[in-house]
Amino acid sequence: MEKILPLEDSPIQTYQGETFILDILLAHDNVKNLCYNNYINMISSTEKDMFKFANSLWYDYENQGYAIMDMFHFRQLEKVSIIGFLKDRIDKGNYIILYQVDEFYLSYSNKYMKLHFSHDTYIYGYGDDYFYVMAYSGRHLKKMMVPFAEMEQAILSQMSMSGDEFSTFRVNPLADIHIDKNAILSGMQMFIDCVGDNQCDLFGIAIYDSLVRYVEKFINYEGEERMIFDLRFFRAIWEHDIMMCKRIEKLSTSMNIDPSIITQAKEIESLSNMIFSMSIKIYILRDKQIMGKVKECIMDLKEKERALVEEMINVLSKSIE
């Protein structure tokens, strides 16, 4: 017997939690337009060292009423089969969010039988003796089949260390999301104004200043110990521009948008893609000349993106009047 819940392939892959949720939303017609109404503002977390979309995780959509979630503790399931319980949740249309499992027991992980390492994992179905899982393997986000025995051992091991919480997630069938110009306008204005809901973080276009400072740290570094150069930051800004392109193209099907704006958006996406490609070279070569070029391109990207978003704000404002 097999049960697979629907997933689409979203344009973002930097952070698997964000990707999993957007894959789910895109697979449900009643909420898929959230990919245009949301995924505009960005956040640079000063505590967690990440660049990501603001308000784009599971609890954000539950808080807005677009999703239904339930929280569980594996320790509460001592008298029932862990595998059986997860299968039952999936049978009822629930995706599984495992906040922490021990990758020591998961053969897709490079930590397998080498290192006890807690990480999030996501389940969207099952087969005869395996789960369908989304997780990173070999630096790539993949959809894989993981044997029940491996997953159960990873969960039990995690329980012995710390953290046994997990959640289920399903789209609210009563939600009915249409393209919302007001929501898009608000998101774009917040991006330009660098506004968010957490004073400890950087929001919007200010994240590019944070990224410049990150690159400068490597340019100025003279030590011998090799620091970790995080490619996720650079991929995240590229994905932000991919989403912006898709949003503008979608809006152009229902309102008058000058073709030059679409061209401008595509050129910005190409620039951020080039920055990401150069960041891969930095990761491998640690070439300070390339770092300097990346710094210049990020500053250029910031100004071009500011001009594009301000132009779109003007277009949307006139359309809504």
Side-chain angles (χ1 to χ4, degrees):
M1 183 177 177
E2 186 174 77
K3 175 75 172 183
I4 304 175
L5 300 178
L7 283 182
E8 290 292 327
D9 292 325
S10 74
I12 65 174
Q13 290 194 355
T14 303
Y15 299 103
Q16 60 192 42
E18 278 188 334
T19 303
F20 188 64
I21 297 304
L22 183 53
D23 283 3
I24 295 170
L25 299 178
L26 290 172
H28 292 78
D29 288 340
N30 63 319
V31 294
K32 65 182 182 182
N33 284 322
L34 284 168
C35 77
Y36 303 114
N37 298 343
N38 198 8
Y39 301 91
I40 301 171
N41 204 3
M42 295 284 287
I43 178 174
S44 170
S45 173
T46 54
E47 295 180 355
K48 298 181 180 179
D49 292 330
M50 65 169 59
F51 284 71
K52 69 182 188 69
F53 288 101
N55 306 315
S56 61
L57 285 178
W58 44 84
Y59 49 79
D60 296 305
Y61 292 115
E62 182 193 29
N63 291 340
Q64 296 167 37
Y66 303 143
I68 301 168
M69 294 184 65
D70 293 301
M71 171 77 81
F72 300 92
H73 292 262
F74 281 113
R75 287 184 177 84
Q76 298 172 340
L77 309 180
E78 290 179 345
K79 296 183 179 179
V80 301
S81 162
I82 287 176
I83 301 303
F85 187 86
L86 294 178
K87 288 172 61 179
D88 180 68
R89 296 297 95 189
I90 294 168
D91 285 338
K92 291 179 170 60
N94 295 280
Y95 300 81
I96 310 296
I97 300 171
L98 300 175
Y99 298 117
Q100 290 183 311
V101 293
D102 185 0
E103 291 196 354
F104 181 89
Y105 293 100
L106 298 174
S107 56
Y108 66 76
S109 172
N110 60 5
K111 310 296 190 302
Y112 182 58
M113 294 297 163
K114 297 178 182 178
L115 178 69
H116 291 281
F117 181 76
S118 300
H119 205 266
D120 52 330
T121 298
Y122 304 87
I123 300 176
Y124 63 96
Y126 66 85
D128 291 336
D129 58 358
Y130 51 84
F131 285 117
Y132 287 99
V133 167
M134 174 185 283
Y136 265 98
S137 177
R139 298 186 181 277
H140 295 283
L141 190 57
K142 298 179 181 179
K143 297 181 177 75
M144 301 168 286
M145 294 181 292
V146 175
F148 288 157
E150 285 188 16
M151 185 60 70
E152 184 170 36
Q153 190 59 54
I155 291 169
L156 291 172
S157 178
Q158 184 62 47
M159 286 171 59
S160 70
M161 294 187 291
S162 65
D164 71 326
E165 301 92 351
F166 70 99
S167 291
T168 59
F169 180 98
R170 64 187 184 278
V171 167
N172 186 344
L174 300 179
D176 186 19
I177 308 301
H178 299 274
I179 300 293
D180 187 340
K181 293 179 183 178
N182 284 295
I184 296 171
L185 176 60
S186 176
M188 289 184 172
Q189 193 65 60
M190 291 176 73
F191 179 77
I192 288 296
D193 294 340
C194 308
V195 174
D197 57 7
N198 187 333
Q199 296 302 316
C200 296
D201 297 310
L202 287 174
F203 283 86
I205 205 161
I207 69 168
Y208 293 107
D209 298 327
S210 176
L211 197 56
V212 165
R213 290 192 294 271
Y214 181 77
V215 174
E216 286 177 339
K217 180 175 70 173
F218 284 84
I219 292 175
N220 298 327
Y221 181 65
E222 299 293 342
E224 295 183 1
E225 184 177 349
R226 188 177 176 89
M227 295 194 300
I228 296 175
F229 189 80
D230 200 328
L231 296 175
R232 295 176 301 174
F233 303 163
F234 302 89
R235 182 174 185 126
I237 61 169
W238 173 40
E239 290 175 347
H240 171 260
D241 292 329
I242 291 174
M243 296 299 287
M244 188 66 75
C245 268
K246 290 183 175 297
R247 181 177 300 106
I248 292 173
E249 288 178 333
K250 181 67 174 181
L251 286 169
S252 72
T253 64
S254 61
M255 58 183 290
N256 185 25
I257 295 180
D258 193 294
S260 65
I261 295 179
I262 299 174
T263 300
Q264 190 179 348
K266 290 180 178 179
E267 289 174 350
I268 288 172
E269 186 269 321
S270 294
L271 176 57
S272 58
N273 182 24
M274 183 181 73
I275 291 171
F276 175 55
S277 296
M278 286 193 292
S279 74
I280 296 174
K281 292 182 180 179
I282 293 173
Y283 179 85
I284 298 170
L285 303 174
R286 300 304 166 102
D287 187 313
K288 292 196 176 185
Q289 186 174 354
I290 300 176
M291 293 178 193
K293 178 64 174 177
V294 165
K295 176 184 171 182
E296 292 175 5
C297 288
I298 293 169
M299 293 187 291
D300 185 33
L301 177 64
K302 176 186 176 182
E303 296 311 312
K304 287 181 176 179
E305 194 156 323
R306 184 197 302 277
L308 171 67
V309 175
E310 287 179 343
E311 194 166 1
M312 278 303 303
I313 287 173
N314 185 48
V315 170
L316 283 165
S317 297
K318 290 179 178 178
S319 173
I320 292 170
E321 288 177 356

